[in-house]
Amino acid sequence: MMLNKALECHTAYLLLGGNLGDREVNLKRAIELLNEKIGEVLAVSSLYETAAWGKTDQPAFLNQAVGLQTNLSAIEVLELALSIEQELGRVRKDKWGERLIDIDLILFGDEVINIPDKLQVPHPHMQNRKFVMEPLAEIAPDVIHPLLGETMLSISQHIEDPLEVKKL
Ligand code: GSY
């Protein structure tokens, strides 16, 4: 039984973003490292240039969604994603501030996980943020949000977020 659990395979969706340095190079390198350390990358969205959310007086972000298949647990994915951020030079300072690279776990199969201050999937704010939902709906239009019961495409079409998101 334990062995089956350990080998369970999940499709995880992550959102990558950054607004410092060579944003495109940082995203490309992050995807290579996700593929090496976490699991086979199956889908990568277009690049999206997006107005900064939260603290708006900072440079625009480049965001990109990634879908991958992994045998790891959600916590292991989260910890490796943090290690990739560090390897790429991220220093965590301001929660809403500028950053070289950010890797957020958005969905982990159809699992619902809530470990306060550590890990929440589905990402609790995904459905309110165009910079998350537009790239995600591009690569996973038919995936259903495990709590809202709505597809990624449908959620992305009904968001009221006014911040600009431009597909490059
Ligand atoms: O939450 C991820 C980091 N982040 C972003 C982002 O990735 N894109 C945009 N547009 N704004 C953001 N604000 C933060 S914090």
Side-chain angles (χ1 to χ4, degrees):
M1 267 321 249
M2 282 302 288
L3 188 62
N4 284 344
K5 185 84 186 154
L7 291 177
E8 211 175 302
C9 189
H10 289 92
T11 302
Y13 290 96
L14 300 99
L15 186 82
L16 316 187
N19 67 346
L20 285 181
D22 189 327
R23 301 172 304 169
E24 200 167 336
V25 166
N26 291 336
L27 292 176
K28 187 164 179 283
R29 185 68 189 128
I31 293 167
E32 287 166 0
L33 291 169
L34 289 170
N35 194 59
E36 262 170 45
K37 296 183 178 211
I38 299 184
E40 187 184 359
V41 170
L42 304 174
V44 176
S45 76
S46 307
L47 292 167
Y48 289 77
E49 183 148 54
T50 66
W53 201 97
K55 184 169 171 278
T56 51
D57 61 336
Q58 57 175 320
F61 278 74
L62 267 195
N63 284 114
Q64 197 165 31
V66 171
L68 57 78
Q69 210 156 39
T70 184
N71 293 321
L72 303 177
S73 69
I75 287 284
E76 287 169 326
V77 170
L78 177 74
E79 283 169 356
L80 283 168
L82 292 175
S83 79
I84 292 171
E85 287 180 354
Q86 280 166 4
E87 186 170 339
L88 292 177
R90 165 131 189 226
V91 181
R92 282 186 176 254
K93 287 188 286 191
D94 185 351
K95 183 170 187 228
W96 299 110
E98 301 175 350
R99 59 206 57 206
L100 282 170
I101 189 77
D102 192 274
I103 306 176
D104 286 335
L105 181 56
I106 306 295
L107 290 170
F108 191 72
D110 59 3
E111 290 197 14
V112 177
I113 304 172
N114 189 354
I115 306 173
D117 299 324
K118 189 163 171 79
L119 173 64
Q120 282 178 287
V121 281
H123 190 288
H125 304 300
M126 60 186 284
Q127 65 275 11
N128 303 318
R129 297 182 182 169
K130 245 201 261 183
F131 75 82
V132 179
M133 291 310 308
E134 289 205 7
L136 191 56
E138 180 190 333
I139 60 168
D142 300 325
V143 169
I144 295 176
H145 190 294
L147 291 171
L148 303 177
E150 206 181 332
T151 66
M152 296 303 131
L153 182 61
S154 168
I155 296 171
S156 78
Q157 287 169 337
H158 297 111
I159 294 186
E160 287 181 10
D161 182 358
L163 290 181
E164 195 183 354
V165 166
K166 192 170 82 190
K167 184 173 172 178
L168 300 183

